[in-house]
Amino acid sequence: MVPYVIRRSSRSRRIYISLDEQNQALLTVPMRATLKAAVSFLEQCGDWLVEQMAKTLPSKSILQYLRDKPVLTLNGERCRVTFAFTNRCPYCKYNSESGEVVLRFDHHAINEIRIREALKSLAKQCLTERLEYLCDTKSIQRPGRVTVRDQSSRWGSCSTSRGISLNWRLIFLPARLQDYVILHELAHLKEMNHTRSFWSLLKTYDSRSSDHDKRLNEVGRTIISLGQSAC
Ligand SMILES: [Zn+2]
């Protein structure tokens, strides 16, 4: 049994199935086709569909994710997140002394986009500080500019004008992986490509860089999709 939605389409000439961003089957049916034909088509695709659904992870909402795992990495520390109420715009309060984060939002009118913005502004402050801290402790020259953005598929990037851009979702990663991404981008200030000299420079910044790169690929997929359906 799989959840599915039927969409009638005047443009489509045949019945076809796709998966939407919630990992739900979307059955597109031409206007003239019968529902019986559509359901029988769905049944024929059963095994294929179940296989595809297992491969594709549904993109979780930020709140769903934080409720399961209420921790964020801020300034190199794992910080516990608690939830509280406000009837105004959602916002985060971070106490750097105790390492506690309070995310306030209206439980009766959850607005995923505004929750994302609240976390993004916390990320902006903390990721920039972390990058500066890493530059100072590892004697790396600071980049010309640091931006924290909402990239959909990249953890970070480095431009030829010495600007570094970081994905705000880095605050969901464990400290060692967050630092790895920042150091990876800092290494691009000297070596723009992924050449052998790039990887050996990165190893001087992070001695376990290859383990961290591998681990990021394993755990990063769910995290990078957080909040993307709320666009
Ligand atoms: Zn790179």
Side-chain angles (χ1 to χ4, degrees):
M1 278 183 56
V2 293
Y4 68 94
V5 169
I6 291 185
R7 182 179 62 183
R8 285 282 185 182
S9 161
S10 53
R11 280 183 301 168
S12 134
R13 288 170 174 269
R14 57 182 182 86
I15 304 170
Y16 68 88
I17 296 178
S18 53
L19 290 179
D20 66 12
E21 72 262 358
Q22 299 302 322
N23 211 22
Q24 179 176 255
L26 185 63
L27 195 58
T28 306
V29 184
M31 288 305 207
R32 279 182 298 172
T34 63
L35 273 185
K36 201 176 162 200
V39 173
S40 127
F41 181 77
L42 181 73
E43 281 166 2
Q44 283 168 35
C45 298
D47 290 346
W48 173 85
L49 194 59
V50 170
E51 215 172 276
Q52 295 306 308
M53 285 173 139
K55 269 194 220 162
T56 320
L57 290 169
S59 64
K60 264 191 182 179
S61 84
I62 298 167
L63 213 50
Q64 230 179 336
Y65 183 87
L66 274 180
R67 277 181 169 144
D68 291 348
K69 209 174 175 190
V71 275
L72 294 175
T73 300
L74 304 172
N75 299 337
E77 303 285 339
R78 284 304 256 172
C79 300
R80 181 107 193 135
V81 181
T82 52
F83 304 102
F85 178 80
T86 178
N87 55 6
R88 290 180 290 144
C89 230
Y91 68 95
C92 283
K93 205 156 185 216
Y94 165 50
N95 182 333
S96 56
E97 300 277 300
S98 63
E100 279 168 346
V101 180
V102 183
L103 172 61
R104 288 185 177 271
F105 60 94
D106 186 343
H107 300 252
H108 307 295
I110 293 171
N111 184 326
E112 179 85 354
I113 296 174
R114 290 199 163 156
I115 288 174
R116 182 180 67 192
E117 291 312 305
L119 287 161
K120 202 173 139 193
S121 85
L122 177 68
K124 208 167 244 182
Q125 174 205 330
C126 294
L127 292 174
T128 310
E129 278 177 27
R130 186 64 184 170
L131 179 141
E132 290 170 355
Y133 169 84
L134 289 171
C135 285
D136 296 349
T137 50
K138 292 181 184 282
S139 308
I140 303 169
Q141 204 191 346
R142 289 187 184 185
R145 188 171 30 92
V146 183
T147 45
V148 175
R149 294 174 41 220
D150 188 38
Q151 296 98 318
S152 57
S153 56
R154 286 169 164 220
W155 286 112
S157 57
C158 178
S159 72
T160 43
S161 57
R162 296 185 53 81
I164 284 184
S165 203
L166 299 171
N167 192 318
W168 73 271
R169 295 174 185 83
L170 284 168
I171 58 173
F172 293 101
L173 291 178
R176 62 187 198 288
L177 298 186
Q178 185 189 100
D179 283 356
Y180 165 73
V181 173
I182 297 173
L183 293 167
H184 180 118
E185 296 311 330
L186 286 170
H188 278 312
L189 291 174
K190 281 195 172 170
E191 300 282 346
M192 278 308 279
N193 299 309
H194 292 124
T195 52
R196 193 184 289 230
S197 41
F198 166 81
W199 293 111
S200 42
L201 171 67
L202 182 54
K203 218 169 193 120
T204 65
Y205 295 169
D206 174 0
S207 58
R208 295 189 54 207
S209 55
S210 28
D211 292 344
H212 292 156
D213 193 69
K214 204 167 148 241
R215 189 73 189 132
L216 182 65
N217 283 325
E218 289 162 4
V219 302
R221 206 168 140 230
T222 319
I223 296 172
I224 209 150
S225 71
L226 287 178
Q228 289 208 23
S229 51
C231 300

